[in-house]
Amino acid sequence: MSLRRPTRLIRPFRRRRTVLAAATAAVLTGGTLAGVLTATAAQEETAPGAPRVRAEASARDLAPAPVSVVQFVSHPDDDLYFMNPDTAQSLADRTPLTTVYLTAGEANGVNARPGLAAVTAPDKPAYAEARQNGIRAAYAEMVTGDRTSPWDRTAIPTAGGGSAELDTLRGHPGVRLVWLQLREAGSPYGDRPHSLRGLWHGRVPALGSLRAAGTPVGADFAYSKEQVVATLTGLLDRFRPTFVRTLDPTPGTDARTGKLRDHQDHAYGARFAQAALGRWAERPGHPRVGVQSYVGYPNTELPRALDHRTAGEKLRSLRTYAWVDGTDHCGSPAGCGDLKMADRPEGRGWTGTVRYARGSSTGWLQPGADGGLLAFGVLDGRLATWHRAPGGSWRGPERLPGGGLDGGVGTVRLPDGRIAVFGTRTSFAGPAGYRREVVTVEQTAPGGRFGAWRSLGTPGKRDEADRTPDVSAPAVAVDGAGRLALFLRDGDHRLAGRERTPGGAWGPWRSLGGADLHGDPVAATDARGR
């Protein structure tokens, strides 16, 4: 986490077309659709005209693994600012939870309140240790009510060939913290080749470690891009989550400055996690996993989403992390928390909100042809469907072949009664090693199986730039004449759209204007068929 100057919120643009559409920001406080399905998205396409394939269901799908959560964040405190209160809810539910911190969070090494920073000597290993102490205190307090509850700290080998620190809350072994201790960028937006972003783009062959002062990890190491992905995949193998939380891998860029809207470590740490999840999805025998990504810095620009009591509980954990009271309750020479944040533990309004980067619409539910219900989500980056017959119980999931789907699938019933599903798919290809496109699949007959995935491309032509991947989940609706309208927030944070005629022919992408839109669009058809 690092701070930036807040910017002015611009109201979403609205335009009336054949179908009414509006871009909105999601205001949610809980987890994803875990009650009915564990949902986000990631999916792969079969070329148009390829043989149609059946969805698959197995006994393992119908007998889900025990619930377990893994959170991937880049810095100590990203989880407290951007994933809470969801983190606290998992802990209150006694769900096994492991948080993985990719970097040491050493910044400039100065652990002092802002007024004393100029007279405090920098010590990066000590500052990294102080932030660890603050996180351990905050988690202990959330679980036990006592921030001094002890932890067991050990070093574990990683699949990338290095070592990581594993902290386990004594008496609550399901609560674990993993510290990979890679060097952070040291700047939210600046050009830093020795960073997760530089490593992703091949600007450096390896990224070195920055070990905290008190860590049990005994030797320095360095990881290549492949070793980071292997390390995160190995942690998924070790902790076997059924649900994963990350920050937003595609926060987009500011149209005025060209800079990322979020800290570069946030975005690229999430991309490394996304790549590891894609690899883990191919491992046989792993539990089916859903993913939710969270908005980081852009929360500054958006309205509050939490009630005062929940926001107050979130702030309490951050005050503990920031060591506001200055009491020595950890016995560490490095300090017991992050004093940089002691004068402003609320950050830039982040304690008043939590927002999901994708998957905030209600388009995942449709009436079935038999009078029952069909629900749609994403497991292992594949489209998953659940069915409830009239008067019956939910059955599923059945998963379609393919991978790479992102969170936030939308569905629509076509004029002939078939259901079509729309989403976006991420692939790790091209010069930037990251590409996203809109994909769709539809039933071959009303109530029937789904056919092959088809790519609809993206509104922009900058597939290798940071902007293009930052497209929203799509919203779709059918008008009174049978035309299907698809809406998307593009990488420049404007509204874009594409229409399909009743005969099935798609028109080109068109810009619908707007400025500084956030969240996923929503589309609906009114009583007059517009």
Side-chain angles (χ1 to χ4, degrees):
M1 185 282 307
S2 180
L3 297 179
R4 67 168 181 170
R5 180 175 59 84
T7 56
R8 181 172 63 93
L9 172 65
I10 300 177
R11 292 186 179 278
F13 167 82
R14 289 176 293 192
R15 170 176 293 225
R16 177 167 295 179
R17 294 180 47 77
T18 308
V19 180
L20 303 180
T24 63
V27 183
L28 301 177
T29 58
T32 15
L33 314 173
V36 175
L37 48 119
T38 310
T40 350
Q43 183 137 3
E44 177 180 328
E45 149 199 340
T46 305
R52 290 176 294 197
V53 288
R54 291 186 178 275
E56 62 181 64
S58 68
R60 183 175 54 210
D61 288 324
L62 298 176
V67 174
S68 175
V69 175
V70 166
Q71 302 180 150
F72 289 109
V73 295
S74 293
H75 309 124
D77 78 2
D78 291 345
D79 44 348
L80 300 182
Y81 275 119
F82 306 124
M83 295 179 177
N84 241 354
D86 293 359
T87 296
Q89 186 62 60
S90 294
L91 295 172
D93 291 342
R94 296 297 185 259
T95 300
L97 185 144
T98 303
T99 302
V100 180
Y101 303 90
L102 273 71
T103 78
E106 71 276 11
N108 64 357
V110 175
N111 191 26
R113 294 176 183 267
L116 299 175
V119 295
T120 303
D123 186 334
K124 291 185 176 182
Y127 181 49
E129 175 70 8
R131 296 187 77 177
Q132 286 194 17
N133 289 334
I135 288 291
R136 282 188 284 267
Y139 271 76
E141 186 175 70
M142 283 190 285
V143 176
T144 70
D146 179 4
R147 65 184 180 182
T148 66
S149 293
W151 295 78
D152 295 317
R153 302 174 63 183
T154 60
I156 59 173
T158 70
S163 296
E165 177 177 338
L166 170 63
D167 298 346
T168 304
L169 186 59
R170 193 179 300 166
H172 298 271
V175 180
R176 296 160 295 221
L177 309 174
V178 177
W179 308 91
L180 297 188
Q181 303 186 96
L182 290 168
R183 290 185 180 272
E184 69 151 85
S187 168
Y189 317 109
D191 183 15
R192 298 291 191 271
H194 289 276
S195 65
L196 291 171
R197 185 180 191 177
L199 187 65
W200 181 272
H201 288 293
R203 298 185 64 190
V204 291
L207 183 61
S209 59
L210 191 290
R211 292 180 296 130
T215 184
V217 174
D220 290 327
F221 55 89
Y223 287 148
S224 67
K225 180 178 181 179
E226 164 59 28
Q227 286 173 313
V228 174
V229 176
T231 294
L232 300 186
T233 307
L235 293 174
L236 291 168
D237 279 331
R238 182 185 185 110
F239 298 111
R240 300 180 64 78
T242 56
F243 196 76
V244 168
R245 298 182 179 124
T246 75
L247 290 175
D248 185 2
T250 57
T253 55
D254 189 298
R256 293 158 292 188
T257 66
K259 296 179 179 178
L260 282 173
R261 291 173 177 262
D262 203 352
H263 195 298
Q264 57 185 309
D265 285 345
H266 295 175
Y268 283 87
R271 291 193 188 187
F272 274 108
Q274 198 176 15
L277 283 161
R279 182 173 299 182
W280 196 54
E282 302 301 321
R283 299 280 178 91
H286 72 279
R288 304 305 175 205
V289 64
V291 183
Q292 181 64 64
S293 57
Y294 289 73
V295 174
Y297 284 0
N299 276 322
T300 297
E301 306 167 7
L302 302 173
R304 290 176 61 99
L306 300 179
D307 62 88
H308 289 289
R309 177 178 177 181
T310 304
E313 291 172 351
K314 183 172 178 176
L315 179 58
R316 177 188 177 190
S317 295
L318 282 157
R319 289 175 61 85
T320 298
Y321 161 75
W323 195 23
V324 170
D325 66 3
T327 302
D328 183 6
H329 53 77
C330 66
S332 170
C336 299
D338 183 359
L339 289 175
K340 284 184 187 295
M341 302 308 300
D343 289 351
R344 47 182 176 180
E346 70 282 354
R348 297 292 188 190
W350 299 326
T351 53
T353 192
V354 64
R355 279 191 172 83
Y356 306 132
R358 301 176 67 85
S360 59
S361 79
T362 57
W364 51 271
L365 193 65
Q366 283 284 347
D370 61 354
L373 289 173
L374 285 170
F376 298 84
V378 178
L379 294 175
D380 292 341
R382 297 167 63 175
L383 182 66
T385 65
W386 288 257
H387 176 243
R388 189 180 75 179
S393 58
W394 286 102
R395 294 186 59 82
E398 293 186 356
R399 297 179 307 129
L400 269 66
L405 269 185
D406 306 304
V409 293
T411 65
V412 68
R413 185 171 295 279
L414 302 174
D416 62 6
R418 294 178 300 130
I419 295 173
V421 182
F422 294 80
T424 62
R425 180 181 61 183
T426 293
S427 59
F428 302 99
Y434 199 92
R435 187 171 183 273
R436 181 170 278 169
E437 61 185 339
V438 181
V439 291
T440 182
V441 67
E442 58 193 51
Q443 289 176 319
T444 57
R449 56 192 176 90
F450 285 87
W453 284 94
R454 175 182 178 180
S455 173
L456 298 178
T458 56
K461 297 181 179 179
R462 294 172 298 211
D463 289 341
E464 285 75 36
D466 278 337
R467 286 182 182 150
T468 299
D470 179 36
V471 294
S472 70
V476 286
V478 177
D479 71 10
R483 287 188 299 267
L484 187 150
L486 183 152
F487 299 95
L488 195 75
R489 177 188 47 75
D490 67 17
D492 290 317
H493 284 238
R494 299 174 300 195
L495 194 64
R498 198 173 180 189
E499 290 186 343
R500 190 175 84 170
T501 67
W506 281 97
W509 286 101
R510 293 192 291 176
S511 176
L512 305 179
D516 206 16
L517 303 184
H518 292 268
D520 297 333
V522 175
T525 306
D526 70 11
R528 294 171 59 185
R530 297 176 300 171

